[in-house]
Amino acid sequence: MSETAREIEELAAASYEYGFSTDLDTDIAPPGLTEDTVRLISGKKNEPEWLLDWRLSAFEAWQSMKEPDWAKLEIAPIDYQGLSYWAAPKQKPVLESMDDVDPEIRDMFDKLGIPLHEQKMFSNVAIDAIVDSVSVTTTFKATLAEAGVIFCSFSEAVRDHPELVREHLGSVVPVRDNFFAALNSAVFSDGSFCYIPAGVRCPMELSTYFRINSQNTGQFERTLIVAEDDSHVSYLEGCTAPQRDENQLHAAVVELVAKDRAEIKYSTVQNWYPGDENGVGGIYNFVTKRGRAHTDAKISWTQVETGSAITWKYPSVILQGDRAVGEFYSVALSSKRQQADTGTKMIHIGADTTSSIISKGISAGRGQNTYRGLVKVLRSAENARNYTQCDSLLLGSDCGAHTIPYIEVKNPSAQVEHEASTSTVGEDQLYYCRQRGMTEEDAMSMIVNGFCREVFDELPMEFAVEAQRLLSVSLEGSVG
Amino acid sequence: MLHVANLTASIGGTPILRGLDLDVGAGEVHAIMGPNGSGKSTFAHALAGRDGYEIDGAATLDGVDLLDMEPEARAAAGVFVGFQYPVEIPGVNNMYFLRTALNSVRRARGETEIGARDFLAVAQEAMDLVEMKKDFLHRAVNAGFSGGEKKRNEILQMAVMQPRLAVLDETDSGLDIDALRIVASGVNALRSPERSMIVITHYQRLLEYIKPDFVHVLVDGRIVNSGDHTLALHLEDHGYADFVNHELDAPERPLSGAAT
Ligand SMILES: Nc1ncnc2c1ncn2[C@@H]1O[C@H](COP(=O)(O)OP(=O)(O)OP(=O)(O)O)[C@@H](O)[C@H]1O
Ligand SMILES: [Mg+2]
């Protein structure tokens, strides 16, 4: 047993393959956060007055707020004044085609396996590439425009579609929602904006790739997706970062608005740098993601979280309209010294609303994995239904898995079901696979991938393969 | 082909196999019978290289020492065990599992891997052999399979892996009459001059379908008697009483199995 436990630990201690950094010429602000910093950011981006005011109100709110109480997380204090709040690759201000993209940036994305040349790309995915919180390019804009879909960087949206941004910004995650959301609202640098007009089925997958490159900078992106009545969109975000010894803060906000009968499917493959075996370095990933589903609308979150030193996120759905549907599918892996505290909130407001939650937590090495989820059924939510399933898989004996469900039901007609299980990768399973000729590593990765099947099945095809590979790589180690 | 001499296995100091000798020649089928807890499954696992035993003695396949090898290397050398209790692997597609298994041993042997399309034909042939319905290929490995379906799945795997030595541990237990016939005819179809089989069973009935060349009686970690298929008939009538009492302390018995 101890022999196997040790081997499993080695398996879990894989190295991070996206740990390179790229020498980009970067425009960086001095560390520190004051009202002037907020004005500086807004000014750098030539923002309209209303947006500066919005930022300032968020900053004011943030100053009066306290950091969340970390419950299950072990975390070194974050020095918010030691961070720089603005870093942007210096580049030509307007990009008309892919040829204008800084070749260094193009190379960086090539290394990540994300080609930005449209002709070479996954044929059915449009990509917004974001480096250090600033969008460097968005592909397939023309094709999308034909369908009436707007997909651009947040800054462009502020410039070109201010009325849409103004209407929806902060409508799902208000500035005072939580400490990190307030911080993000004050200093966010860029992000993606996406608008699907009524009745339109977005002709391709939309995707944002986030890359943190600079050192000692906080990362604050803002994503806003608005799907008008009867529209449909599938969106994917991917994240990587170089290997650094310091912790880096990533505090993004994602807001989704699904109007009547609209459907938004939002998938995340998060592979920020997790830090090393001793817990040195890695990204602090504190993200607020929430969607509002109107009548008969559906919002589905799928996440595969393999990176970051600390992950703290609860993609949520406000089931506002009658018969709205919310889904949350999650795979979270914590190995080395990683800590993941993740889950979802399903807020049932409308009648006959349904939500389902499938969470798969994998703990390896000395990782700690917590599922924390809230199912809240308000008085108005007649006949609301929720099904929650939380499965934890432990690889080794020094890791931990915790399941903390909160259930608040104010309407007696609600049906709320919760199932939880904790298992280990059976030595029997490993032996069975090895008897059939597989190496221990292959067997482990096959078994773990099998454990995550229900979630991977929710990912768009191209990314399901990517997610499986990522999980295998994260588990691979020095055995053999 | 398989040569086992004075094989001992213990778990945490408790001896389970106490000096087992067996020679299985190429193309031969040997049956092993014995009371519950006598060490039959332990023998299969000792050959396959399961962790957790202290092993001594010798076991070679085609002259190659098995005992120093990892389980996957033994599989590549051609050892296949049909499990008494096949293991469930939720979420892993049966077809994918089979192809990964086959390609793992092919890779280890320096052979080319088989692509998804070609593999389909291989799998189809194996499926026909055990009269398995197609949807089993698309279900998760053994997950939710009935006891009999799991056993059939083991034979399916054997048909795909084409092992040099197959050890079938109570593959007949839990099978209905039709399934028993199907599994037995599957086994018979896989008999070949290059392949040896050890069939562990409690029932003479299976041996009517699969005519073994030799039958061995395993009691308390040792082979205490060997003979032809009539020995199985004798056991069916008289049980193990003859062997359990006095044969236990008997000195080494000559083996009737052919030499390697
Ligand atoms: N992990 C273990 N720890 C302790 N004892 C064990 C362990 N595994 C097997 N044994 C013991 O070893 C002995 C032989 O077990 P084995 O499974 O080989 O028997 P078997 O002949 O296959 O029996 P059956 O006919 O019931 O399948 C049994 O007494 C069993 O309890
Ligand atoms: Mg047994």
Side-chain angles (χ1 to χ4, degrees):
Chain A
M1 172 68 212
S2 59
E3 174 75 357
T4 311
R6 192 184 49 74
E7 285 175 2
I8 288 172
E9 198 163 288
E10 284 173 7
L11 282 175
S15 55
Y16 186 72
E17 68 173 315
Y18 303 108
F20 61 90
S21 68
T22 307
D23 256 331
L24 299 174
D25 197 2
T26 305
D27 180 10
I28 218 167
L33 178 54
T34 62
E35 201 182 295
D36 287 342
T37 321
V38 177
R39 289 180 187 283
L40 172 99
I41 293 168
S42 192
K44 284 256 185 203
K45 303 170 71 65
N46 294 318
E47 284 177 353
E49 192 70 22
W50 64 265
L51 190 50
L52 173 63
D53 290 345
W54 191 79
R55 286 176 180 275
L56 289 173
S57 72
F59 179 70
E60 201 186 312
W62 179 74
Q63 281 182 308
S64 67
M65 292 168 90
K66 287 240 290 274
E67 254 183 333
D69 175 17
W70 294 109
K72 287 266 175 231
L73 301 181
E74 246 179 67
I75 176 172
I78 301 169
D79 175 10
Y80 294 95
Q81 298 303 334
L83 291 174
S84 167
Y85 289 83
W86 171 259
K90 280 183 194 152
Q91 47 157 29
K92 285 164 246 153
V94 185
L95 293 172
E96 286 309 333
S97 86
M98 285 311 302
D99 303 333
D100 298 340
V101 175
D102 187 329
E104 302 241 353
I105 290 178
R106 241 177 8 214
D107 285 354
M108 178 167 88
F109 277 87
D110 281 347
K111 264 199 225 174
L112 295 170
I114 308 157
L116 294 179
H117 314 257
E118 296 194 1
Q119 62 276 26
K120 276 203 214 159
M121 298 204 351
F122 311 112
S123 54
N124 208 29
V125 183
I127 291 180
D128 186 24
I130 297 192
V131 178
D132 289 344
S133 307
V134 174
S135 174
V136 291
T137 183
T138 310
T139 62
F140 285 114
K141 263 191 185 158
T143 318
L144 291 168
E146 271 170 42
V149 172
I150 303 169
F151 181 42
C152 61
S153 72
F154 206 93
S155 312
E156 283 173 83
V158 169
R159 192 188 64 208
D160 300 339
H161 311 280
E163 67 302 330
L164 284 176
V165 176
R166 196 169 180 179
E167 182 186 344
H168 296 102
L169 181 67
S171 70
V172 187
V173 180
V175 292
R176 338 185 115 258
D177 187 78
N178 69 67
F179 184 82
F180 293 108
L183 179 60
N184 173 288
S185 302
V187 301
F188 75 86
S189 33
D190 208 340
S192 296
F193 174 77
C194 163
Y195 179 81
I196 319 292
V200 170
R201 211 185 156 84
C202 187
M204 53 180 66
E205 300 273 348
L206 303 184
S207 175
T208 301
Y209 269 88
F210 293 105
R211 172 76 180 171
I212 297 179
N213 200 49
S214 293
Q215 212 158 344
N216 275 329
T217 53
Q219 305 290 320
F220 308 96
E221 301 94 13
R222 190 100 201 172
T223 302
L224 175 58
I225 300 178
V226 179
E228 292 287 1
D229 293 355
D230 302 290
S231 66
H232 178 285
V233 64
S234 169
Y235 191 92
L236 183 120
E237 68 171 25
C239 331
T240 57
Q243 201 159 328
R244 304 247 189 238
D245 288 345
E246 307 81 31
N247 294 115
Q248 283 177 286
L249 176 62
H250 177 249
V253 171
V254 176
E255 292 180 283
L256 311 183
V257 180
K259 305 242 173 115
D260 295 356
R261 295 169 303 280
E263 184 174 340
I264 301 177
K265 187 171 170 56
Y266 194 104
S267 314
T268 302
V269 175
Q270 183 263 110
N271 186 29
W272 298 121
Y273 176 56
D276 68 11
E277 304 67 47
N278 301 317
V280 176
I283 305 286
Y284 288 168
N285 192 35
F286 303 146
V287 175
T288 305
K289 290 181 165 173
R290 193 175 305 151
R292 188 185 299 280
H294 292 269
T295 306
D296 289 302
K298 176 174 171 182
I299 290 180
S300 182
W301 298 102
T302 304
Q303 58 174 25
V304 176
E305 306 277 322
T306 59
S308 297
I310 297 180
T311 295
W312 180 86
K313 63 180 269 203
Y314 313 92
S316 309
V317 184
I318 300 169
L319 299 149
Q320 175 109 41
D322 293 351
R323 294 173 303 280
V325 175
E327 293 175 340
F328 175 71
Y329 299 94
S330 170
V331 165
L333 168 81
S334 346
S335 66
K336 304 187 178 75
R337 295 277 186 128
Q338 282 175 279
Q339 306 173 64
D341 192 315
T342 182
T344 184
K345 293 179 202 164
M346 293 290 176
I347 316 291
H348 293 256
I349 299 173
D352 300 305
T353 44
T354 54
S355 61
S356 47
I357 299 171
I358 309 279
S359 161
K360 305 276 182 179
I362 304 158
S363 318
R366 304 176 72 173
Q368 291 293 329
N369 211 317
T370 303
Y371 167 82
R372 188 188 302 275
L374 169 68
V375 176
K376 190 170 185 170
V377 178
L378 301 192
R379 214 178 304 278
S380 54
E382 200 64 33
N383 291 319
R385 284 196 311 268
N386 164 266
Y387 172 74
T388 301
Q389 180 191 329
C390 295
D391 298 320
S392 306
L393 186 67
L394 297 172
L395 312 181
S397 51
D398 296 329
C399 52
H402 318 275
T403 299
I404 309 175
Y406 300 90
I407 298 170
E408 286 176 39
V409 177
K410 300 255 170 59
N411 184 314
S413 65
Q415 287 176 39
V416 178
E417 259 181 276
H418 181 91
E419 286 177 24
S421 76
T422 300
S423 52
T424 53
V425 167
E427 306 207 3
D428 281 355
Q429 291 177 325
L430 286 174
Y431 166 56
Y432 189 66
C433 294
R434 294 177 76 190
Q435 205 307 295
R436 299 300 186 249
M438 296 170 216
T439 63
E440 191 164 14
E441 271 186 16
D442 288 352
M444 177 69 82
S445 118
M446 171 178 275
I447 294 164
V448 173
N449 273 300
F451 172 77
C452 303
R453 171 69 40 224
E454 287 158 281
V455 175
F456 287 168
D457 282 350
E458 292 298 320
L459 288 172
M461 254 280 275
E462 296 89 335
F463 301 108
V465 176
E466 172 71 15
Q468 288 192 30
R469 201 188 60 82
L470 194 58
L471 201 60
S472 302
V473 167
S474 307
L475 286 169
E476 243 167 46
S478 39
V479 161
Chain B
M1 193 173 93
L2 175 72
H3 172 70
V4 178
N6 198 24
L7 184 70
T8 61
S10 35
I11 299 177
T14 310
I16 314 270
L17 299 181
R18 301 158 176 266
L20 192 147
D21 300 296
L22 182 67
D23 281 287
V24 179
E28 293 177 358
V29 174
H30 291 231
I32 294 182
M33 305 182 80
N36 293 134
S38 56
K40 302 181 298 297
S41 296
T42 305
F43 176 51
H45 293 314
L47 289 180
R50 183 185 200 154
D51 262 355
Y53 303 107
E54 301 96 59
I55 301 276
D56 216 341
T60 60
L61 183 67
D62 298 320
V64 181
D65 183 8
L66 288 177
L67 297 182
D68 277 345
M69 296 165 127
E70 294 292 330
E72 55 269 35
R74 301 187 199 201
V79 176
F80 176 91
V81 173
F83 282 54
Q84 182 175 0
Y85 304 109
V87 178
E88 301 192 4
I89 310 181
V92 175
N93 178 282
N94 216 7
M95 170 106 97
Y96 179 71
F97 179 84
L98 279 169
R99 187 157 69 88
T100 308
L102 182 60
N103 280 333
S104 299
V105 299
R106 290 181 70 98
R107 210 180 311 133
R109 291 174 189 153
E111 298 166 7
T112 54
E113 296 186 26
I114 294 190
R117 190 182 299 248
D118 293 340
F119 181 75
L120 204 58
V122 174
Q124 193 53 58
E125 201 176 314
M127 297 281 287
D128 291 345
L129 197 67
V130 292
E131 301 181 24
M132 222 163 167
K133 278 199 241 85
K134 215 180 180 138
D135 60 316
F136 277 88
L137 278 183
H138 304 296
R139 285 171 60 180
V141 182
N142 291 325
F145 285 25
S146 77
E149 288 165 351
K150 285 181 184 169
K151 296 300 177 70
R152 245 194 249 205
N153 199 30
E154 294 294 287
I155 302 299
L156 173 75
Q157 293 183 22
M158 172 169 79
V160 168
M161 301 298 283
Q162 298 280 325
R164 183 111 172 94
L165 170 74
V167 183
L168 303 180
D169 191 356
E170 294 198 29
T171 304
D172 55 333
S173 297
L175 293 182
D176 68 36
I177 301 157
D178 292 335
L180 182 68
R181 185 184 44 76
I182 292 164
V183 164
S185 66
V187 169
N188 283 331
L190 291 167
R191 275 173 104 144
S192 97
E194 288 85 47
R195 180 169 301 128
S196 306
M197 298 194 194
I198 297 173
V199 179
I200 297 171
T201 182
H202 286 297
Y203 306 107
Q204 134 74 13
R205 206 179 39 192
L206 176 72
L207 304 181
E208 280 170 13
Y209 290 107
I210 306 173
K211 285 264 169 352
D213 299 300
F214 301 96
V215 175
H216 308 278
V217 182
L218 183 76
V219 174
D220 213 12
R222 251 183 294 209
I223 288 179
V224 296
N225 202 352
S226 301
D228 60 16
H229 68 275
T230 56
L231 180 54
L233 288 168
H234 175 84
L235 292 170
E236 184 96 330
D237 292 339
H238 299 93
Y240 296 106
D242 295 353
F243 304 103
V244 173
N245 297 326
H246 53 93
E247 299 277 354
L248 198 62
D249 306 313
E252 311 278 287
R253 295 184 57 90
L255 287 173
S256 38
T260 340

